Amino acid sequence: MKTAIYPGSFDPITLGHLNIITRAAAIFDKLIVCVGYNAKKNPMFTAEERVQLIRNATKELDNVEVVASDELLALFAKKHGACTIVKGLRAVSDFESEFTMSLINKKLNPELDTMFLTAEERFMYLSSSAVKELGRYDVDLSDFLPAEVIDEFKARLNARR
Ligand code: ADP
């Protein structure tokens, strides 16, 4: 059984993330989405909330599991019997740091490969931080966020105002 890990902060999950999840889930027998606790300072949603939002958005995908972890990714992968880390690349600018991370993870766990999936063109500009900026205005978010996430995202933005 081939298991892959898709790590990130997902604060919140966007349609770009969901696109990578859907495509990776079609390649591997099992995909574990790993939400980092401390990936960003002052996140909008707690790690547990981010896990729940991803579970809601991926409920149709039977082979996707969502967990929060602060463990070193190379060890987390070993513990879960995963052979591959999946990363999404939006632009060349994403590549440099991801390339370095992939070499470090390989060094820490030689059995672990990193697979880069390029973003689909319509999602190339999408990031959680861009959506947070947009959310401050009265913009239709259905092109950016999974339907299951929009209400909670708006409620959280209003509560923070
Ligand atoms: P961000 O806050 O920038 O969205 P995350 O840490 O949540 O970053 O992203 C997790 C992973 O998803 C990273 O590999 C990132 O490159 C990838 N990713 C994020 N947005 C997209 C997108 N729109 N298309 C493809 N991959 C993406």
Side-chain angles (χ1 to χ4, degrees), residues 121-136:
E121 208 170 79
R122 62 200 165 117
F123 299 127
M124 271 187 82
Y125 57 88
L126 247 190
S127 68
S128 301
S129 46
V131 177
K132 278 182 230 164
E133 277 299 308
L134 271 179
R136 296 164 52 193

Side-chain angles (χ1 to χ4, degrees), residues 6-10 16-17 20 40 87-88 90 94 119 123 126 128:
Y6 178 40
S9 39
F10 308 103
H17 295 130
I20 298 287
K40 275 182 193 137
K87 289 288 186 136
R90 284 161 288 195
D94 276 346
F123 299 127
L126 247 190
S128 301

